[in-house]
Amino acid sequence: MTIQKVIDDPDGIHLSKGDGIAIIDADSMIYICMGAPTLRACKLKLDTLILNSMESTNCSSYIGCLSVSDTFRVKIGKTKAYKGNRTEKTLPNTFYPLKEYAQEAWGFFSAPGLEADDLVCAYAEKYDPTAMVLSIDKDVLQQYPGTHYNYRSNEVVKTSRKHAWWFLWMQVLAGDPTDNIPGLPGIGLAKATKILEGVNPPDYPLVCLREYIESDKWDTTEGMHRFKESYDLVYLLKTPGDFAHYGLTLPAIEPKSITEIWKS
């Protein structure tokens, strides 16, 4: 399936069958499948989810991306610990063996300092226009423009460049409570939406910066620091320049053919 992204006209995206590359956000696949009664059942569930997802999107090759826990954002989160609000959960005994199976049998991979979200967006960008993102994560589905596939709901999600740009700056203002990213005090989705309402999209960064430096919660310098911290935490890396800016490198990974995997 070839994808041609049309700015602000997701319904105009054209698809053709057969040559698509599935860029898989695999973290959630592991969590979805780890609850089966036995490790064998978990593996079968994962195999089925991958194959069904690729069949649903008509993709013939893929790149599977996993996160590491010690990401570059941990060092950026000064106001609040990045993802520090997540309570320690006891993982089933199948979790690590299933993750290892995904790496060994399917060639899924992780990279030092990086989350699957960043890897997915970067490889989707690299292999555009033949790439299709497979994810259930709201940040990936809404911050990266294009036609995506939500493998939990079995739905196609179409995100225009205009919406992706708006979503990024809405997050800069509102933060992301799920990941313990504070944003501006007292600003949630509704207020952030109101602030950006009627604003020319190229002016979103300036409007957001002004909201931070004019806040009565801190002085101008602190406002600028908070603005940069919020942006660095919510922005998903997409280009080689993005990775270089944070002293990171995007691994040179080639898509794997689904037929080659099962022959190996």
Side-chain angles (χ1 to χ4, degrees), residues 1 3 20-29 48-65 108 116-117 120-121 124 130-137 140-141 144 147-152 154-157:
M1 172 173 55
I3 302 172
I21 304 170
I23 311 297
I24 303 173
D25 180 0
D27 286 346
S28 295
M29 281 192 168
T48 302
L49 180 57
I50 295 169
L51 292 171
N52 285 349
S53 297
M54 294 190 65
E55 182 179 9
S56 295
T57 54
N58 295 319
C59 290
S60 58
S61 59
Y62 67 91
I63 296 175
C65 307
F108 288 5
D117 296 6
V120 165
C121 291
T130 58
M132 185 172 194
V133 169
L134 278 58
S135 179
I136 68 171
D137 186 274
V140 175
L141 295 177
Y144 189 78
T147 297
H148 315 315
Y149 177 70
N150 184 324
Y151 51 74
R152 179 157 59 189
N154 191 30
E155 293 177 335
V156 171
V157 178

Side-chain angles (χ1 to χ4, degrees), residues 202-224:
D203 294 332
Y204 286 166
L206 181 60
V207 168
C208 292
L209 176 59
R210 183 180 295 118
E211 289 291 328
Y212 270 88
I213 63 177
E214 293 182 355
S215 172
D216 59 7
K217 303 296 182 181
W218 43 62
D219 60 26
T220 299
T221 301
E222 179 66 15
M224 293 182 70

Side-chain angles (χ1 to χ4, degrees), residues 81-86 137-139 171 175-181:
Y82 179 61
K83 295 188 177 180
N85 57 334
R86 299 191 179 184
D137 186 274
K138 70 177 188 336
D139 300 328
Q171 283 192 305
D176 187 347
T178 303
D179 291 336
N180 211 33
I181 301 172

Side-chain angles (χ1 to χ4, degrees), residues 31-45:
Y31 280 93
I32 288 172
C33 299
M34 69 182 184
T38 65
L39 178 58
R40 182 178 180 181
C42 291
K43 292 178 180 179
L44 178 59
K45 188 174 182 179

